[in-house]
Amino acid sequence: MGRPHVMVIPYPAQGHVLPLMSFSRYLASQGIQVTFVNTEFNHNRIITSLSKPSQDDHVVDGIKLVSIPDGLDEERNVPGKLSGSVLHFLPTKVEELIKTMISETSSGCGGAVISCVVADQSLGWAMEVAAKFGIRRAAFCPAAAASMVLGFSIQKLVDDGLIDYDGTPKVNKAIQLSPGMPEMETDKFVWVCLKNKDSQRNIFNLMLQNNKSIESVDWLLCNSVFELETAAFEMSPKIVPIGPIGLAHHSLEEGAKSLGSFLPEDRDCLDWLDQQIPGSVIYVAFGSFEFMGKAQLDELAAGLELTKRPVLWVTSYGHQPPIRFESDQVIVVRWAPQREVLSHRAIGCFVSHCGWNSTLEGVQNGIPFLCIPYFADQFINKAYICDVWKIGLGFEQDEGGVISRLEVKTKIDEIMRDNGEFKKRAIKIREIVMKNVVKDGISYENLNKFVNWIKSEVN
Ligand code: UDP
């Protein structure tokens, strides 16, 4: 039968593609053949962003990159368009792709039978497509286990009178799903979007539908660490922690490091970091979406300047920080090699939107956080950072909903103070994480079990 062959399907967004790419690399390093399915739009961005052009566009680092159309033109950024395509257009395309691969195998054209489909947990339909072909399946959650547990708790939230049947909160209060779980505000539940009820209803219904599709999967993998989220894993024992999945990256060749990024990485900032005092630099990055208004950007920039510390600021998709500092004191890049940046000894703290990948990347390097969450699961991650692990601070907003420059300066100074308690706790949390990814660690052993299971059908 040959080598086992896994088809990996991410949700077509940066924060989903990157962790699934890391996971694919791990599988490839274990002798498993991997086919990674991107939308054509993302596939092209990934290929043009590679730091060293690959000999073959289609096989990078042992992973075969394939693509399917998403049926969209220029409207990907219109709210609801991408999620509509994911739900109504991609399923047929994935089904066609699997059919083609199967027929190539049976006609001896060199394809290989798919031993397992690993799909993003938010793509319940992909599990159903795989089931149709009798292919084994695993769901991969690139968010915290607590986010998934919240989704699994929807019926209880309705029964307890906390939300309506369409997910709208009936009361505004902070709840804990179980002791040890982060507190969650009902009006910040991941699906809540009071300004756009249609969008809220779609997300809410999709979560319910995904909960169902997931019931039949063989594995429910989560890019998280058991000891970071003990209460969540105890509430839903079916969720298997295997994170942080990207930890093996540092041993990769330079050309392969950027695989999965939608924008080319600016590697010059690493040289700049080499020249900075250890622990002195404020790293500012808000993931792959643009969300901050001009008034807030101005205040943030002014607050950073007041700290008189060096700053590395990622502008990602468009926002231009209004920086006026001395030029050698600050560096602005469009896209950083974030995993390497956060492991650099010059970094002192991370001003972050608290996306789960960024959260894990900061945590695994013992970096304290300043949190500016704005939507989806970021409030849960912020609650972990500030209230459960106690390795970061949030900011207070003024009456106009803006974080003032003074607030920015005060909180950053508090976090960066010499021998600070935040840093000490961040290092402790880092040790817990590292214990989980080495031999006999929970994440390590779970990954091993998964790989053996993939191989078991073939041998
Ligand atoms: N990232 C990066 N370079 C940047 C900014 C972000 O490589 O300049 C990566 C980051 O390391 C993380 C991902 O992009 O792995 C963003 O995921 P996250 O869950 O933090 O945020 P999202 O973009 O999904 O909101």
Side-chain angles (χ1 to χ4, degrees):
M1 256 178 111
R3 274 163 78 200
H5 180 189
V6 172
M7 175 185 268
V8 176
I9 315 172
Y11 186 90
Q14 183 70 94
H16 295 247
V17 168
L18 281 172
L20 270 160
M21 196 62 94
S22 297
F23 183 59
S24 300
R25 292 179 131 150
Y26 175 77
L27 297 181
S29 75
Q30 301 299 305
I32 294 169
Q33 210 179 321
V34 180
T35 297
F36 196 96
V37 186
N38 279 304
T39 58
E40 280 168 6
F41 182 72
N42 288 345
H43 175 89
N44 295 336
R45 289 201 282 180
I46 287 169
I47 296 297
T48 40
S49 300
L50 280 171
S51 49
K52 201 163 77 189
S54 73
Q55 304 290 74
D56 175 353
D57 270 8
H58 307 295
V59 181
V60 183
D61 221 24
I63 298 164
K64 183 168 184 196
L65 303 173
V66 301
S67 62
I68 51 176
D70 62 10
L72 299 170
D73 293 323
E74 292 306 313
E75 60 223 316
R76 281 180 198 85
N77 292 331
V78 177
K81 286 285 181 194
L82 182 64
S83 51
S85 147
V86 167
L87 207 52
H88 305 297
F89 195 81
L90 294 190
T92 323
K93 295 293 155 196
V94 167
E95 194 167 334
E96 284 167 11
L97 179 65
I98 295 179
K99 260 193 207 142
T100 310
M101 287 168 70
I102 291 175
S103 73
E104 277 174 3
T105 312
S106 50
S107 64
C109 289
V113 179
I114 303 163
S115 359
C116 178
V117 165
V118 177
D120 205 289
Q121 178 260 331
S122 60
L123 306 180
W125 53 260
M127 316 297 158
E128 283 156 30
V129 171
K132 240 192 204 172
F133 290 95
I135 302 172
R136 301 190 300 173
R137 49 215 176 271
F140 180 102
C141 174
S147 303
M148 235 190 311
V149 171
L150 175 65
F152 295 160
S153 308
I154 284 176
Q155 188 55 50
K156 183 167 180 342
L157 298 174
V158 173
D159 295 343
D160 291 350
L162 292 168
I163 56 170
D164 251 325
Y165 285 98
D166 68 353
T168 307
K170 287 166 108 175
V171 284
N172 278 357
K173 66 174 196 177
I175 61 142
Q176 252 181 319
L177 293 172
S178 82
M181 288 277 282
E183 278 201 346
M184 302 177 188
E185 310 263 350
T186 52
D187 62 347
K188 296 204 175 77
F189 282 157
V190 290
W191 56 83
V192 173
C193 187
L194 296 173
K195 286 191 199 129
N196 186 341
K197 274 301 185 91
D198 279 345
S199 181
Q200 171 178 307
R201 219 167 287 126
N202 288 343
I203 301 171
F204 189 69
N205 288 335
L206 189 61
M207 285 180 76
L208 289 172
Q209 206 178 315
N210 283 338
N211 285 348
K212 270 223 178 76
S213 313
I214 279 172
E215 279 171 16
S216 69
V217 296
D218 300 288
W219 290 80
L220 180 47
L221 306 169
C222 182
N223 188 22
S224 183
V225 178
F226 182 80
E227 284 161 89
L228 286 185
E229 295 199 77
T230 315
F233 285 109
E234 282 172 350
M235 269 191 88
S236 293
K238 188 170 178 187
I239 309 175
V240 178
I242 54 158
I245 195 66
L247 272 184
H249 273 272
H250 304 299
S251 59
L252 290 171
E253 303 247 327
E254 188 183 308
K257 273 177 184 157
S258 59
L259 179 58
S261 282
F262 292 172
L263 291 171
E265 289 174 343
D266 183 330
R267 302 191 62 79
D268 292 347
C269 63
L270 296 171
D271 298 333
W272 180 83
L273 284 176
D274 287 344
Q275 291 151 30
Q276 308 304 318
I277 298 167
S280 68
V281 175
I282 307 169
Y283 176 57
V284 185
F286 302 115
S288 55
F289 293 94
E290 192 185 339
F291 69 96
M292 206 174 274
K294 180 160 181 339
Q296 184 60 81
L297 280 173
D298 284 345
E299 283 301 306
L300 184 56
L304 289 167
E305 190 174 5
L306 284 176
T307 68
K308 300 195 165 41
R309 299 173 196 275
V311 175
L312 167 54
W313 191 330
V314 174
T315 60
S316 99
Y317 289 83
H319 71 248
Q320 265 311 318
I323 298 257
R324 305 174 304 263
F325 321 178
E326 297 285 319
S327 58
D328 60 348
Q329 186 67 357
V330 59
I331 180 163
V332 178
V333 299
R334 185 147 178 244
W335 194 249
Q338 180 165 302
R339 283 173 286 215
E340 288 166 82
V341 165
L342 286 168
S343 68
H344 197 287
R345 62 187 153 67
I347 299 297
C349 70
F350 184 7
V351 180
S352 170
H353 71 312
C354 308
W356 184 245
N357 295 298
S358 295
T359 301
L360 280 183
E361 291 158 12
V363 160
Q364 76 201 33
N365 287 295
I367 307 290
F369 284 82
L370 282 312
C371 305
I372 312 187
Y374 71 104
F375 92 129
D377 61 334
Q378 295 158 12
F379 297 100
I380 296 178
N381 307 337
K382 184 229 168 198
Y384 267 132
I385 291 170
C386 298
D387 310 332
V388 181
W389 312 324
K390 301 185 167 50
I391 58 168
L393 292 172
F395 292 107
E396 298 295 327
Q397 297 175 340
D398 63 20
E399 318 78 66
V402 172
I403 301 162
S404 73
R405 61 191 68 189
L406 205 59
E407 171 73 359
V408 170
K409 177 192 162 14
T410 310
K411 291 286 170 64
I412 289 181
D413 285 346
E414 193 175 340
I415 285 278
M416 298 278 275
R417 222 171 278 145
D418 274 347
N419 299 321
E421 291 304 308
F422 289 99
K423 183 68 186 173
K424 280 187 207 153
R425 280 193 294 270
I427 287 171
K428 276 219 176 88
I429 296 282
R430 174 191 144 84
E431 282 162 10
I432 291 172
V433 170
M434 297 318 279
K435 211 174 72 196
N436 275 266
V437 294
V438 293
K439 195 165 173 352
D440 294 331
I442 295 176
S443 290
Y444 179 97
E445 295 302 330
N446 283 338
L447 269 175
N448 246 347
K449 278 187 211 150
F450 179 72
V451 166
N452 289 337
W453 175 80
I454 294 277
K455 291 181 173 173
S456 66
E457 193 193 42
V458 181
N459 297 324

